[in-house]
């Protein structure tokens, strides 16, 4: 029997079966990821369990009932979905937009000579949960922010945006495990389009450029955020439509039905922009990827209106990624036409 304290040399490593070698590669990858999360302060060391799908069996069956959308994406089957007309009548924010959408109009604070809006907001953070990436501010100083942002340039905005994450129905679950290309195609099927990152941001923060859609306080009782981080079985998700991938997605899932947290509402009346699921948007930058994620998801991540993730290409998908759609605002002539 090999002594446990001795390392396995190259020759001995090659003699190990391919299955065992692959298992240890996965273990090493998981250990490296765990140590990285510990290093940046997301997970305490005693919360890390160095286990992966290669070593631990996933649950035999999902806890939720899921359905496959267009043979690619996943969605939990909901029991109680509200009709768009009912939601529109109660909310009173549709304006002249299509059913289920919110008309957004106003002036957006833009980056200026004093710095980007996101960097200036960091100066207004009075209570940091974590200063390292992913940065999390618990409380922003409202007076400090108003002072810092007072002279920022303003840009007029006018557009329509889905009130909830796609499929944009109160009580329904967001469609997830979707690529940027797929999200754009699903919006196009409705005669809509993916929101630009600026449209999404303005719908979240309003004219005051609030750090959070709900104001200046990060509150897990108001929006779906800061739920425990869990290891991701990435190798299982490589084939996203398999039963094993679904069990991994279900095991990771900590989201909620759209609109389930009624106070998670932006100044314009758009729900769940921060937390719950990440959302694909279209970049407004001249260079870089077109595929930009906004809003964060249910985990312990940045999750404020201006934050974005800009490193995933248009074919990337993951267990917590969804989207919502936007549309051009109606023209003045269209607005005069009674509905």
């Amino acid at each position: 029997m090999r002594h446990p304290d001795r390392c396995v040399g190259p020759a001995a490593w090659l003699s190990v079966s391919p299955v065992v070698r692959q298992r240890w590669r996965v273990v090493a990858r998981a250990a490296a990821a765990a140590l990285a999360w510990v290093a940046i302060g997301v997970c305490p060391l005693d919360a890390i369990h160095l286990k992966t799908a290669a070593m631990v069996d996933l649950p035999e069956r999902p806890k939720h009932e899921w359905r496959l959308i267009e043979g690619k994406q996943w969605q939990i089957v909901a029991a109680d979905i509200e009709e768009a007309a009912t939601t529109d009548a109660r909310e009173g924010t549709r304006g002249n937009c299509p059913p289920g959408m919110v008309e957004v109009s106003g002036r957006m604070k833009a980056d200026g000579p004093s710095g980007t809006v996101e960097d200036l907001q960091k100066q207004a953070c009075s209570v940091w949960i974590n200063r390292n990436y992913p940065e999390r501010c618990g409380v922003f100083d409202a007076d400090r922010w108003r002072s810092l942002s007072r002279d920022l340039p303003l840009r007029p905005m006018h557009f329509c945006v889905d009130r909830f994450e796609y499929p944009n129905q109160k009580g329904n679950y967001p469609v997830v495990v979707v690529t940027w290309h797929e999200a754009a195609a699903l919006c196009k099927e409705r005669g809509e389009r993916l929101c630009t990152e600026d449209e999404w941001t303005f719908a979240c923060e309003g004219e005051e450029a609030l750090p959070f859609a709900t104001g200046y306080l990060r509150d897990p009782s108001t929006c779906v955020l800061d739920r425990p981080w869990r290891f991701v079985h990435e190798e299982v998700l490589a084939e996203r439509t398999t039963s094993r991938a679904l069990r991994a997605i279900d095991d990771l899932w900590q989201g909620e039905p759209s609109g389930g947290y009624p106070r998670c509402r932006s100044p314009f009346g758009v729900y769940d922009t921060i937390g719950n699921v990440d959302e694909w948007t279209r970049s407004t930058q001249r260079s870089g990827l077109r595929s930009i994620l906004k809003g964060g998801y249910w985990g312990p991540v940045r999750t404020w209106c201006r934050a974005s993730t800009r490193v995933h290409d248009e074919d990337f998908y993951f267990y917590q990624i969804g989207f919502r759609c936007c549309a051009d605002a109606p023209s003045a002539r269209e607005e005069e036409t009674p509905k």
Side-chain angles (χ1 to χ4, degrees):
M1 178 179 178
R2 187 177 303 278
H3 195 279
D5 335 91
R6 293 179 186 166
C7 296
V8 177
W13 174 253
L14 292 174
S15 68
V16 175
S17 74
V19 172
V20 173
R21 290 204 303 269
Q22 177 61 23
R23 179 170 293 186
W24 279 106
R25 287 190 189 102
V26 172
V27 172
R29 181 178 179 182
L35 292 173
W37 282 92
V38 170
I40 63 177
V42 173
C43 298
L45 187 58
D46 59 3
I48 294 296
H49 300 285
L50 303 182
K51 299 177 182 179
T52 69
M55 298 182 66
V56 178
D57 288 335
L58 290 165
E60 290 185 5
R61 56 182 57 85
K63 298 184 291 290
H64 307 89
E65 181 184 355
W66 293 79
R67 63 174 182 165
L68 197 59
I69 306 295
E70 304 217 339
K72 299 174 183 177
Q73 305 91 30
W74 289 103
Q75 181 190 32
I76 294 175
V77 176
D80 188 14
I81 302 171
E82 186 171 89
E83 293 291 333
T86 302
T87 312
D88 285 339
R90 183 183 63 254
E91 294 288 325
T93 54
R94 176 185 169 188
N96 291 287
C97 290
M101 302 190 91
V102 173
E103 185 171 2
V104 174
S105 182
R107 296 187 300 172
M108 179 181 184
K109 292 186 184 294
D111 299 340
S114 56
T116 67
V117 173
E118 186 174 359
D119 286 342
L120 290 173
Q121 283 180 338
K122 293 175 186 178
Q123 296 179 35
C125 180
S126 56
V127 179
W128 283 99
I129 299 170
N130 184 27
R131 291 299 299 264
N132 299 319
Y133 183 87
E135 298 160 308
R136 286 188 294 157
C137 179
V139 181
F140 289 89
D141 184 314
D143 291 337
R144 172 72 170 149
W145 171 241
R146 293 185 186 111
S147 175
L148 287 166
S149 63
R150 182 177 54 236
D151 298 323
L152 286 171
L154 301 174
R155 182 154 57 92
M157 301 286 286
H158 191 198
F159 57 94
C160 301
V161 61
D162 281 352
R163 185 175 287 113
F164 306 106
E165 305 113 326
Y166 184 92
N168 192 29
Q169 296 168 303
K170 186 179 187 300
N172 210 347
Y173 284 89
V175 170
V176 290
V177 202
V178 57
T179 72
W180 184 89
H181 284 303
E182 292 163 358
L186 288 166
C187 288
K188 187 175 181 180
E189 285 179 7
R190 295 186 165 191
E192 300 165 1
R193 55 176 171 74
L194 268 184
C195 302
T196 69
E197 58 178 311
D198 289 349
E199 288 171 335
W200 191 101
T201 298
F202 190 53
C204 178
E205 69 185 15
E207 291 191 292
E208 194 172 327
L210 297 173
F212 303 112
T214 52
Y216 293 89
L217 174 67
R218 184 185 184 97
D219 184 1
S221 71
T222 299
C223 294
V224 186
L225 48 87
D226 289 343
R227 296 188 172 180
W229 180 82
R230 296 177 181 174
F231 266 124
V232 182
H233 313 300
E234 291 188 45
E235 68 288 347
V236 176
L237 297 179
E239 296 292 337
R240 56 178 157 163
T241 60
T242 66
S243 61
R244 187 162 173 78
L246 176 58
R247 284 182 285 145
I249 294 164
D250 184 79
D251 192 46
L252 290 162
W253 179 261
Q254 297 181 70
E256 301 288 346
S258 294
Y261 278 53
R263 292 186 295 158
C264 194
R265 185 179 189 271
S266 82
F268 291 111
V270 182
Y271 286 85
D272 303 317
T273 47
I274 60 170
N276 211 31
V277 298
D278 271 313
E279 298 183 30
W280 284 123
T281 66
R282 181 164 49 87
S283 175
T284 55
Q285 303 297 317
R286 293 182 178 180
S287 60
L289 296 168
R290 294 179 295 171
S291 45
I292 309 300
L293 288 170
K294 295 286 292 183
Y297 70 114
W298 60 73
V301 294
R302 290 174 296 170
T303 323
W304 74 67
C305 293
R306 283 279 168 162
S308 61
T309 301
R310 319 183 73 87
V311 296
H312 300 303
D313 67 23
E314 293 90 343
D315 295 314
F316 180 79
Y317 61 82
F318 221 38
Y319 65 95
Q320 87 296 359
I321 294 180
F323 66 102
R324 74 179 73 211
C325 304
C326 281
D328 293 343
S331 66
R333 181 174 296 178
E334 288 173 328
E335 288 176 0
E336 292 173 1
T337 304
K339 295 188 178 181

